[in-house]
Amino acid sequence: MRLAFRFAPALRNREDGALGPLTRAEPWRTYEGRYLMKSRWILAITLGLAWSCARAQRPLPDPSPHPFSITKSDPSLDALLSPNATLRTVAAGFGFIDGPVWIARSGSAEGYLLASSIIDNVIYKVTDAGKVSVYLDQAGYSGSDFANVGKLAQVGRAHVILFGPGCTGVDRQGRLIWCAGQDLAIKRLEKDGSRTVLADGFEGKHFNGPNDVAITADGAVFFTDSDVGLRGGIHSPQVQMPDSVWRWKDGKVTQVVSREQLGAEPNGIALSPDDKYLYLSAGTLAPDPKVLRYPVMPDGSVGPGELFTHGSGIGDGMKTDRAGNLWSVDALPGTIRITSASGRLLGLLHLPTLGDAEPRKTTCASSLAFGGDDARTLYITACEYIYALPLLAPGLLEGVAHQP
């Protein structure tokens, strides 16, 4: 449910490709070291070209504010939401809210939304009426090394260090699974309230900052690893391996797709309703971002990826609905893309923008989740805001309420 930390100017230069892990002794004698040294030679030129191209090809922000709007690209969109659907503000004032998941009604207890704050270090509980409370604290970072963890980011005019979780999900047993970005781990909240570290590295090397998750019916957790956990991001001396896409199952971690195979920093991730396909976003800040689709093999590995869709509304969090349509977001300027299971663009949802009013705030689309116990509400995390949009067709709930 990738994360709007990409707003930092340094991250806008990331289209050149990831640097290899740092090594202190004889770096040229390892693959990682040779990759790093080669990257250093071309870094200045590549970064400059990438940033210049991105600025040249991506339109500048509109200084005028705009209301919510819908662009219909295919008549099939009318079956999913009304052309007159009204966007509702559920809660506001978060600064940087991300990674939502709906927790369905249990007995007499009403359902509610969980959303991760990557700057408050908590997971919030948000009712549909807009009541906000802390559900889980120290959810992103539980340590005390504030000099080396947490990436610097820019949110509106504010320059902040990211300390907080970046994603949430629920397994079929109803347990919360989340990205503890600065703890460099995927964690699970047990029924007794204890916290279990599911994965924090591979073959003795730690992750850089888990970013987003997708959970299968049999309990496997696919997740993307970004660089949100380390001061300096991918350039931190603490980086031990490139950002990649991973799978956890029954205590075992395996690499699913490398950063080199994906061709971009991993970010958004989703599964088809039947868990047969894995979707990954590629090129978050590229002029033409893409979603790649991979067939999931019986052993949990994936087959060769193929281009599924590309264009506006791609880059961060993604979810599939009950019909297999993919709903994806592009953080800036805040666009939701709806793509059919066959890869056909159905339409775009454009979130409200604030224009250039000062003090500058950020409106974005960082992630989304289907909610309401009938799954007919689309919740959108948008930096300062959490929005809700009524749907005509049901989405797909996570956890015990999952109905493919």
Side-chain angles (χ1 to χ4, degrees):
M1 307 191 178
R2 263 291 350 99
L3 298 176
F5 60 78
R6 295 182 314 279
F7 299 162
L11 279 175
R12 291 182 181 274
N13 297 334
R14 288 281 292 111
E15 294 307 320
D16 61 294
L19 292 177
L22 295 175
T23 177
R24 295 181 180 177
E26 299 187 330
W28 56 88
R29 296 188 183 275
T30 65
Y31 163 76
E32 291 89 347
R34 290 193 300 271
Y35 184 30
L36 175 60
M37 294 184 73
K38 179 180 178 182
S39 296
R40 282 174 172 169
W41 279 102
I42 64 173
L43 179 61
I45 296 175
T46 311
L47 288 181
L49 288 175
W51 176 230
S52 298
C53 291
R55 287 296 299 269
Q57 298 181 51
R58 293 176 71 90
L60 294 175
D62 192 329
S64 302
H66 292 279
F68 171 73
S69 64
I70 300 174
T71 298
K72 182 169 69 174
S73 302
D74 188 281
S76 301
L77 185 66
D78 290 338
L80 302 180
L81 74 163
S82 167
N84 299 315
T86 300
L87 190 72
R88 172 171 60 94
T89 300
V90 178
F94 293 100
F96 199 163
I97 198 70
D98 198 7
V101 67
W102 180 261
I103 306 299
R105 173 192 293 268
S106 177
S108 60
E110 295 287 336
Y112 54 88
L113 191 74
L114 295 180
S116 52
S117 172
I118 200 169
I119 59 174
D120 290 346
N121 203 19
V122 302
I123 294 174
Y124 284 116
K125 173 183 176 181
V126 184
T127 69
D128 186 63
K131 181 181 179 181
V132 179
S133 58
V134 172
Y135 183 82
L136 197 67
D137 64 359
Q138 292 189 316
Y141 187 55
S142 58
S144 58
D145 184 12
F146 300 107
N148 295 298
V149 303
K151 186 169 187 175
L152 178 66
Q154 182 178 350
V155 183
R157 288 291 186 201
H159 291 73
V160 299
I161 295 174
L162 304 181
F163 283 107
C167 78
T168 57
V170 181
D171 67 15
R172 301 302 165 83
Q173 297 184 47
R175 297 173 297 187
L176 175 68
I177 293 175
W178 78 97
C179 299
Q182 293 70 48
D183 280 337
L184 312 182
I186 296 291
K187 295 186 179 183
R188 183 175 67 202
L189 185 65
E190 308 297 346
K191 296 295 187 179
D192 63 1
S194 61
R195 307 180 188 195
T196 299
V197 175
L198 300 184
D200 58 5
F202 179 69
E203 295 183 343
K205 297 180 179 181
H206 62 66
F207 295 133
N208 299 325
N211 180 15
D212 204 356
V213 294
I215 306 168
T216 65
D218 67 358
V221 180
F222 288 89
F223 62 96
T224 56
D225 183 38
S226 68
D227 56 7
V228 67
L230 303 174
R231 191 70 49 83
I234 201 66
H235 308 300
S236 168
Q238 298 184 48
V239 169
Q240 295 181 347
M241 55 185 175
D243 303 334
S244 297
V245 183
W246 304 89
R247 177 181 182 264
W248 174 92
K249 180 71 166 65
D250 298 330
K252 182 180 180 181
V253 176
T254 54
Q255 187 182 77
V256 177
V257 180
S258 70
R259 196 256 185 237
E260 289 73 22
Q261 290 170 327
L262 184 62
E265 178 186 9
N267 199 331
I269 187 170
L271 286 159
S272 61
D274 56 9
D275 294 340
K276 291 183 177 180
Y277 291 98
L278 180 72
Y279 297 94
L280 298 173
S281 66
T284 298
L285 291 176
D288 186 30
K290 301 173 177 62
V291 171
L292 301 180
R293 182 171 68 178
Y294 299 79
V296 179
M297 302 292 104
D299 64 355
S301 63
V302 300
E306 62 179 359
L307 178 64
F308 177 69
T309 188
H310 64 100
S312 181
I314 294 172
D316 222 318
M318 302 189 291
K319 290 289 191 299
T320 54
D321 64 21
R322 199 170 298 179
N325 301 308
L326 181 71
W327 300 63
S328 59
V329 303
D330 181 2
L332 292 174
T335 306
I336 295 94
R337 182 187 187 92
I338 308 165
T339 308
S340 75
S342 64
R344 187 175 73 257
L345 174 63
L346 302 183
L348 301 172
L349 312 179
H350 309 280
L351 295 186
T353 61
L354 301 177
D356 59 359
E358 298 287 357
R360 187 71 55 82
K361 299 290 184 181
T362 295
T363 53
C364 69
S366 58
S367 195
L368 44 76
F370 298 106
D373 291 338
D374 60 358
R376 292 177 184 265
T377 301
L378 180 69
Y379 288 96
I380 306 160
T381 50
C383 288
E384 290 282 334
Y385 307 94
I386 294 177
Y387 294 121
L389 187 70
L391 302 178
L392 299 177
L396 199 60
L397 298 181
E398 296 189 38
V400 295
H402 183 89
Q403 295 179 343

